[in-house]
Amino acid sequence: MELPAALRAAVDQELSGAPLETLAKASALLSDRYRREVRDGRFHIDDALAAKAYLATRMPATYAAVRAALAMVEEICPDFQPESQIDLGSGPGTALWAAADAFDSLKTAEMVEASGAIRSVGEKLSKASPVKSRWQSGDVTLKLPTLAKADLVTLAYVLDELPPATIAAVTDKLWALTSGMLVIVEPGTPAGWQRILAVRDRLRGLGAHLAAPCTHGQDCPIAAPDWCHFSRRVARSRVHRLAKGAEVPWEDEKYIFIAASREPVAHSGSRILVPPRVNGGVGRAKLCRPGGTVDEITLSKRDGEAFKQLRRADWGDLLDGGETP
């Protein structure tokens, strides 16, 4: 996956002239903290260089994760056509661009970001977007500006920077602002999955209808040390490779998310939870079933169309059929 052409051009313009050596140092700090899941609250994108480092090294991956999550929402809820969006902890506007790419119906977006530096960058980039956006200062754990409810509410890569004790209250705020669909995306780590599980349980208690990636609204059947997550391959630009000192022209972004709807959701397929294994005439896959269970299946050529579908399928895809909720 690549950034949309208009966004890629705007990012290239923003990074033009940035000193590569200092950009690489700032990028290394960002990447190190991300890999180690440092959650001490001390690092914020509070200067122009850090903001540019984020554009160069993290935005392509976070865009890919959010866009992939929205693709699953599109598949499950094809009639969902949002016209308005609220994005909290907006960063450089990643979720705005992903939503605009996913939904042609989107017209307006309220973008709320605490950091002045990254908010300024995001506002500049958004001028190239077809969606009319308004950028405001605000913190999801503290005071938010006055906002009307929106069809689509997004929170991407934000919970991982918040104290766990705030997750319930943040979820309540987000759901109160949601008139249609709420989508929350986190890194695809065991810790990220635990945060999404906490949100999932809270949303169930609030009467939300789980849309994706879950195929049911019952207790999650996955138990640690296993965890639910997915992966998206991201194309690296030249600046991305140089800033990260990378030679491979791509990277894999692991992510997990939860999407919840105000309206009931019909589930009929089973979600593939790990990369399916197909060798010769035999295929194996681990599935999350609409009935609330997880199991592994083995198919062969004798299973006809079911085997052909599995052979074409990828991690995170839905397989047709399965129990009804």
Side-chain angles (χ1 to χ4, degrees):
M1 181 178 286
E2 296 182 348
L3 297 178
L7 176 57
R8 187 169 63 250
V11 167
D12 288 346
Q13 179 63 34
E14 190 66 24
L15 294 177
S16 177
L20 185 59
E21 184 177 351
T22 52
L23 187 64
K25 289 180 180 178
S27 298
L29 177 60
L30 273 175
S31 297
D32 178 65
R33 291 179 62 86
Y34 176 77
R35 283 193 302 271
R36 294 189 295 116
E37 295 192 282
V38 176
R39 306 290 178 254
D40 57 15
R42 296 177 183 175
F43 186 83
H44 302 282
I45 302 178
D46 54 6
D47 60 61
L49 180 60
K52 289 184 177 183
Y54 187 91
L55 292 185
T57 60
R58 287 300 301 150
M59 190 178 190
T62 55
Y63 172 85
V66 178
R67 184 63 184 87
L70 294 179
M72 292 193 197
V73 172
E74 290 178 275
E75 183 179 22
I76 293 295
C77 303
D79 294 332
F80 177 59
Q81 294 294 314
E83 294 186 1
S84 59
Q85 177 185 13
I86 293 172
D87 183 49
L88 301 176
S90 301
T94 307
L96 166 66
W97 285 92
D101 190 64
F103 304 109
D104 292 338
S105 57
L106 194 64
K107 297 177 181 177
T108 63
E110 295 281 359
M111 312 296 290
V112 181
E113 169 57 48
S115 165
I118 196 67
R119 188 172 67 246
S120 176
V121 169
E123 192 165 11
K124 287 180 185 177
L125 296 178
S126 69
K127 295 185 186 305
S129 168
V131 177
K132 182 180 179 181
S133 60
R134 180 174 67 160
W135 290 74
Q136 301 183 74
S137 176
D139 188 321
V140 70
T141 63
L142 301 173
K143 185 174 177 58
L144 290 174
T146 301
L147 299 167
K149 289 185 177 182
D151 301 328
L152 172 66
V153 176
T154 50
L155 186 84
Y157 290 79
V158 174
L159 291 182
D160 62 332
E161 293 291 348
L162 304 182
T166 66
I167 290 178
V170 167
T171 303
D172 291 352
K173 281 186 183 180
L174 296 171
W175 189 239
L177 291 169
T178 304
S179 62
M181 187 79 65
L182 170 62
V183 180
I184 299 177
V185 186
E186 282 289 291
T189 62
W193 177 61
Q194 288 297 329
R195 290 188 291 271
I196 290 296
L197 277 183
V199 172
R200 186 183 189 274
D201 288 342
R202 189 71 176 186
L203 288 170
R204 291 169 67 206
L206 293 171
H209 303 278
L210 302 184
C214 308
T215 59
H216 57 86
Q218 302 176 49
D219 290 343
C220 180
I222 300 174
D226 194 8
W227 78 99
C228 182
H229 65 294
F230 306 97
S231 181
R232 192 71 177 186
R233 180 150 291 184
V234 183
R236 284 172 167 159
S237 67
R238 176 179 177 276
V239 172
H240 190 171
R241 293 197 303 271
L242 292 173
K244 297 194 78 168
E247 296 182 0
V248 180
W250 49 263
E251 66 181 7
D252 291 325
E253 176 69 5
K254 304 292 195 300
Y255 69 97
I256 182 58
F257 75 100
I258 192 73
S261 173
R262 286 282 180 184
E263 300 296 325
V265 178
H267 290 289
S268 61
S270 298
R271 183 80 63 192
I272 300 177
L273 295 179
V274 298
R277 306 179 303 281
V278 179
N279 294 307
V282 178
R284 296 178 176 82
K286 183 176 181 180
L287 303 178
C288 177
R289 300 283 197 175
T293 61
V294 167
D295 62 22
E296 295 192 17
I297 62 168
T298 300
L299 300 175
S300 70
K301 290 182 178 180
R302 290 191 298 272
D303 294 298
E305 184 56 37
F307 175 75
K308 291 179 181 178
Q309 185 185 9
L310 177 59
R311 189 169 57 187
R312 295 190 300 264
D314 200 357
W315 187 2
D317 286 352
L318 285 175
L319 290 183
D320 292 338
E323 309 94 339
T324 56

